[in-house]
């Protein structure tokens, strides 16, 4: 007789929303959101998406690709839109760009619509996705500030508990024409934000693409540096001193410095990160070490 499959116990962290201790904190949490969330000044919020052909991708859609003329984003474009609308002179740390209305990031009309965006401190941001009380407060605040709600939805009603104190708007000393500024070409800024948000994944992709080509073209400087390292390290079985690797390039010291640095550092325009260096000792960067050893051994 076939044994009955044991049912796994299921634990859901969102169950805390039903705990009495959490319910006692609900109003306090909504007050914290109100006093810390950063909104764009209503006078600087146009009634259209800043990037009209951009949306978040579904789980089976690869980000940073185009589908029928629509760019598939993570949260980079929305993040760029609201932060630049608030101020181009502030560096925001530990703030998350949150969408007000559930499901709207997948709609090009609302993914980068400023009235649908708010910056919330990282420690509280998850509440905007999972806590209905906070979601309803944010919906009404967006309506209160911008008169916004998505097509097909009902106008938000003021929640039974609504915070009285909200964080003041941020302003630049310099007055800018928001619409002109937002419609300027910020492709370099966006590319850098995308890179910084996904840099490890991007660098691994670069290595998989470039290293086989380097190893098949031994006259290239990157290939020479990598081959010298693999030889000195006995296929990455031990660390190599930077000065020892550099000494093999005495006839091309300047080229070594420039190219080696682009092989050890993260960078949107580097060659590809293959090395880690600590206190002058070099090893292959761990996420790509096995791939490079296998390619070198072919």
């Amino acid at each position: 007789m076939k044994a009955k499959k044991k049912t796994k116990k299921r634990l859901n962290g969102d169950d805390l929303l039903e705990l009495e201790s959490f319910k006692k904190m609900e109003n306090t949490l909504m007050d914290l959101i109100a006093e810390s969330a950063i909104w764009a000044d209503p006078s600087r919020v146009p009634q259209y998406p800043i990037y009209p052909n951009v949306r978040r991708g579904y789980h089976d859609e690869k980000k940073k690709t185009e589908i029928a003329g629509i760019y598939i984003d993570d949260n980079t474009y929305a993040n760029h839109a609201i932060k630049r609308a608030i101020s181009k002179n502030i560096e925001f740390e530990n703030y998350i760009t949150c969408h007000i209305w559930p499901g709207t990031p997948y709609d090009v009309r609302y993914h980068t619509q400023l009235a649908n965006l708010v910056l919330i401190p990282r420690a509280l941001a998850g509440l905007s996705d999972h806590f209905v009380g906070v979601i309803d407060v944010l919906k009404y605040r967006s309506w209160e500030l911008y008169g916004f709600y998505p097509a097909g939805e009902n106008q938000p009603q003021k929640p039974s508990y609504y915070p009285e104190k909200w964080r003041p708007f941020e302003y630049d000393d310099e007055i800018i024409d928001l619409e002109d500024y937002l419609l300027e070409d910020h492709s370099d800024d966006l590319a850098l934000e995308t890179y910084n948000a996904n840099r490890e994944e991007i660098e691994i992709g670069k290595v998989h693409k470039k290293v086989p080509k380097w190893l098949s073209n031994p006259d290239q400087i990157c290939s020479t540096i990598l081959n010298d390292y693999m030889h000195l390290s006995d296929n990455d079985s031990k660390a190599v001193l930077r000065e020892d690797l550099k000494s093999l390039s005495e006839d091309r010291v300047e080229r070594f410095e420039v190219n080696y640095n682009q092989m050890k550092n993260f960078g949107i325009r580097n060659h590809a990160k293959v090395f880690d260096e600590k206190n002058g000792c070099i090893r292959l960067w761990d996420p790509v070490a096995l791939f490079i050893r296998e390619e070198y051994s072919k």
Side-chain angles (χ1 to χ4, degrees):
M1 183 176 179
K2 188 175 182 180
K4 186 177 180 180
K5 187 175 181 180
K6 188 176 180 180
T7 302
K8 289 185 178 180
K9 185 176 181 179
R10 188 177 182 187
L11 298 175
N12 187 345
D14 283 352
D15 289 344
L16 75 86
L17 302 176
E18 301 303 321
L19 297 177
E20 287 302 317
S21 55
F22 181 86
K23 291 179 179 179
K24 291 177 182 178
M25 298 171 57
E26 286 186 5
N27 293 354
T28 301
L29 289 170
M30 287 186 276
D31 285 338
L32 278 172
I33 293 280
E35 292 179 33
S36 61
I38 304 178
W39 301 79
D41 176 0
S43 67
R44 307 175 71 179
V45 174
Q47 297 302 309
Y48 51 77
I50 302 305
Y51 301 101
N53 296 314
V54 177
R55 65 168 172 81
R56 186 179 293 174
Y58 294 100
H59 71 279
D60 59 343
E61 294 177 331
K62 188 175 181 180
K63 61 189 176 184
K64 296 178 290 183
T65 60
E66 284 193 13
I67 299 176
I70 303 299
Y71 182 82
I72 304 303
D73 187 30
D74 40 22
N75 219 35
T76 300
Y77 277 69
N79 184 57
H80 182 271
I82 187 171
K83 288 180 177 177
R84 296 307 183 270
I86 291 168
S87 172
K88 67 176 183 177
N89 297 315
I90 294 176
E91 292 186 9
F92 298 92
E93 293 186 9
N94 296 315
Y95 274 93
I96 303 297
T97 298
C98 300
H99 289 80
I100 307 301
W101 288 81
T104 52
Y106 305 97
D107 190 322
V108 294
R109 296 173 295 176
Y110 307 122
H111 180 51
T112 61
Q113 163 60 272
L114 295 176
N116 190 39
L117 300 172
V118 62
L119 295 178
I120 298 178
R122 184 182 299 276
L124 298 171
L127 295 172
S128 70
D129 289 326
H130 304 288
F131 182 19
V132 173
V134 166
I135 294 171
D136 288 344
V137 162
L138 294 177
K139 287 179 179 179
Y140 189 78
R141 182 61 172 169
S142 177
W143 163 252
E144 185 178 53
L145 291 176
Y146 314 116
F148 169 78
Y149 60 95
E153 298 286 351
N154 294 322
Q155 177 182 316
Q157 300 301 306
K158 191 172 185 177
S160 57
Y161 181 82
Y162 189 69
E164 296 181 1
K165 184 178 179 181
W166 290 84
R167 193 182 195 282
F169 299 116
E170 296 287 341
Y171 294 96
D172 280 324
D173 293 334
E174 175 187 358
I175 297 175
I176 63 172
D177 186 314
L178 179 66
E179 293 194 17
D180 286 348
Y181 178 75
L182 286 171
L183 294 174
E184 289 173 3
D185 182 6
H186 296 287
S187 55
D188 286 346
D189 293 340
L190 286 164
L192 182 58
E193 287 186 31
T194 299
Y195 175 81
N196 287 336
N198 306 281
R199 68 178 191 173
E200 183 165 313
E201 176 187 345
I202 291 171
E203 290 301 330
I204 292 171
K206 286 183 187 178
V207 168
H208 281 247
K209 179 180 179 180
K210 293 186 176 183
V211 165
K213 294 180 181 179
W214 291 346
L215 295 178
S216 63
N217 293 278
D219 293 333
Q220 291 184 355
I221 183 65
C222 293
S223 177
T224 301
I225 293 171
L226 181 56
N227 274 305
D228 286 346
Y229 168 80
M230 297 303 285
H231 174 71
L232 289 173
S233 69
D234 191 17
N235 200 17
D236 195 44
S237 62
K238 59 185 178 182
V240 170
L241 293 175
R242 177 191 175 105
E243 290 306 310
D244 289 343
L245 182 60
K246 182 179 177 180
S247 69
L248 299 180
S249 302
E250 290 183 356
D251 60 334
R252 53 180 191 282
V253 171
E254 290 185 4
R255 292 182 67 202
F256 171 84
E257 291 291 349
V258 171
N259 289 279
Y260 168 72
N261 286 333
Q262 292 196 45
M263 297 169 72
K264 77 164 186 175
N265 295 319
F266 287 100
I268 193 169
R269 294 184 178 85
N270 69 347
H271 292 324
K273 180 172 173 58
V274 299
F275 297 125
D276 258 339
E277 180 183 332
K278 294 180 181 178
N279 300 320
C281 294
I282 305 168
R283 294 298 301 264
L284 291 180
W285 182 41
D286 190 60
V288 297
L290 177 60
F291 172 79
I292 293 174
R293 289 196 297 266
E294 290 176 345
E295 289 295 311
Y296 180 74
S297 298
K298 287 183 179 178

